Amino acid sequence: MINLSLSQNAEKILKTHNPFRKCFFTFRTIDKWEKKHISLIGKSFCIETPCRLNKPIILPPKLMPRRRGLNKINARIALIHSLAHIELNAIDLAWDIIARYNHYNLPLKFYDDWMGVAKDEAIHFLMLSKRLQDMGANYGDLDAHDGLWDAAKKTKKSLIDRLAIVPMYFEARGLDVSPHMIEKLSKANDHKSVKCLTRIYNDEINHVKIGEFWFRWVCKKNKKNPEKTWQKTINKFFKTEIELPRNNKAREKANMSVYLSYIS
Ligand SMILES: [Fe+2]
Ligand SMILES: [Fe+2]
């Protein structure tokens, strides 16, 4: 049996259409990596968009229906469905960062860290899919948008851009809005969803922290000031200020507080 390299395994996962098989291959690859059955050697590759089943239908973000009032089950299903879709994208993003930038001569810890993230994201996706089933729905029943993957495409040429935008902007924005969602679900007495979102929230603090660690590492290698480089990258991509509310407590735990002082 031919053993695939880490990049080849990542490519295989990105090209897997079925999200549940994507999770299965994620766990299996990490297990093989931990047993040292996978080599790091292998060239990086480019896949423009990860493979998906034909459901959910992907709409532009502005065409997505607005969600109101989480006291209704349909609104809660819509919320959990959209979060499951984000988690599926997050699995692919973790494998993409592992495979795409392997010409940067990164230390082994980089790969260990992002495989840890991939594993968490797969657990998050499976947890939310199960929660949808409990509520009488399935992943793929509703439409979704790929805003997160659009950011991946825009940052594919630079590891600095990728880290600044994906974990340090989008995932950090997730930390800002999560406590409010958890509170609303709690008020709706949806304790199972509260449990899922609380687990995800705590794991995501660590993902942002990992993103910040490697961003700082790459900046140091390139003799760049991390805070100024982050601000410049954010301005280049968004041309807007970071929206409120900001979750300063979670951002502090993720080592992101220092960056906010650079935002006017
Ligand atoms: Fe996640
Ligand atoms: Fe994450």
Side-chain angles (χ1 to χ4, degrees):
M1 199 183 84
I2 303 163
N3 274 335
L4 300 179
S5 71
L6 187 58
S7 296
Q8 287 167 327
N9 273 285
E11 183 177 2
K12 182 179 159 184
I13 294 166
L14 285 153
K15 286 181 175 168
T16 299
H17 290 72
N18 184 305
F20 297 97
R21 284 192 72 72
K22 209 184 268 288
C23 293
F24 169 76
F25 286 138
T26 293
F27 299 135
R28 200 173 68 173
T29 301
I30 295 169
D31 184 53
K32 281 190 193 169
W33 172 258
E34 284 168 354
K35 288 177 179 151
K36 304 200 186 317
H37 293 171
I38 291 178
S39 69
L40 186 57
I41 300 146
K43 61 182 179 67
S44 54
F45 71 94
C46 289
I47 169 170
E48 199 52 25
T49 313
C51 293
R52 297 272 184 264
L53 297 176
N54 48 16
K55 289 226 165 157
I57 292 166
I58 306 300
L59 298 178
K62 59 180 181 218
L63 291 186
M64 288 296 291
R66 286 194 73 77
R67 258 190 327 264
R68 294 184 202 282
L70 290 181
N71 48 344
K72 299 226 169 69
I73 184 134
N74 283 349
R76 294 204 296 280
I77 288 173
L79 171 69
I80 302 296
H81 191 280
S82 71
L83 295 176
H85 186 68
I86 290 171
E87 297 298 347
L88 182 62
N89 274 304
I91 302 169
D92 284 322
L93 281 164
W95 288 112
D96 190 84
I97 205 169
I98 287 168
R100 186 174 296 278
Y101 306 102
N102 69 5
H103 53 287
Y104 271 68
N105 202 12
L106 295 152
L108 270 184
K109 184 179 166 12
F110 178 88
Y111 299 98
D112 287 336
D113 279 356
W114 291 105
M115 268 184 270
V117 172
K119 189 175 182 178
D120 285 348
E121 308 297 19
I123 292 168
H124 298 168
F125 174 79
L126 294 174
M127 227 163 54
L128 294 173
S129 298
K130 168 81 175 56
R131 184 68 200 117
L132 282 173
Q133 283 169 1
D134 290 345
M135 294 193 285
N138 282 300
Y139 175 69
D141 284 354
L142 302 175
D143 297 339
H145 75 82
D146 264 355
L148 200 52
W149 198 261
D150 289 344
K153 284 192 210 160
K154 285 180 192 152
T155 56
K156 66 183 179 186
K157 291 200 177 127
S158 153
L159 180 55
I160 284 192
D161 287 356
R162 172 64 61 86
L163 291 165
I165 301 301
V166 175
M168 294 172 73
Y169 181 82
F170 280 109
E171 286 197 289
R173 281 299 297 145
L175 300 182
D176 292 338
V177 298
S178 289
H180 186 58
M181 276 192 290
I182 293 170
E183 196 188 312
K184 279 171 123 181
L185 287 166
S186 181
K187 277 188 186 150
N189 288 319
D190 186 344
H191 303 300
K192 283 186 179 172
S193 298
V194 167
K195 204 172 157 198
C196 291
L197 264 68
T198 305
R199 156 87 197 258
I200 292 172
Y201 172 65
N202 288 321
D203 289 345
E204 296 301 337
I205 292 175
N206 195 39
H207 299 177
V208 179
K209 195 172 172 181
I210 288 169
E212 196 278 335
F213 176 89
W214 289 107
F215 178 77
R216 192 168 284 279
W217 189 92
V218 184
C219 283
K220 196 175 166 199
K221 276 246 156 186
N222 290 280
K223 299 187 172 45
K224 287 175 187 270
N225 173 298
E227 292 82 11
K228 285 183 185 159
T229 305
W230 185 74
Q231 186 197 28
K232 245 168 66 186
T233 314
I234 295 297
N235 292 344
K236 186 170 84 184
F237 280 88
F238 297 107
K239 299 181 177 61
T240 55
E241 270 191 39
I242 291 204
E243 298 158 49
L244 293 171
R246 289 176 195 161
N247 181 346
N248 290 331
K249 212 169 105 192
R251 281 178 180 266
E252 200 179 315
K253 282 190 192 165
N255 294 335
M256 282 301 296
S257 301
V258 64
Y259 295 88
L260 288 184
S261 56
Y262 279 75
I263 302 280
S264 52

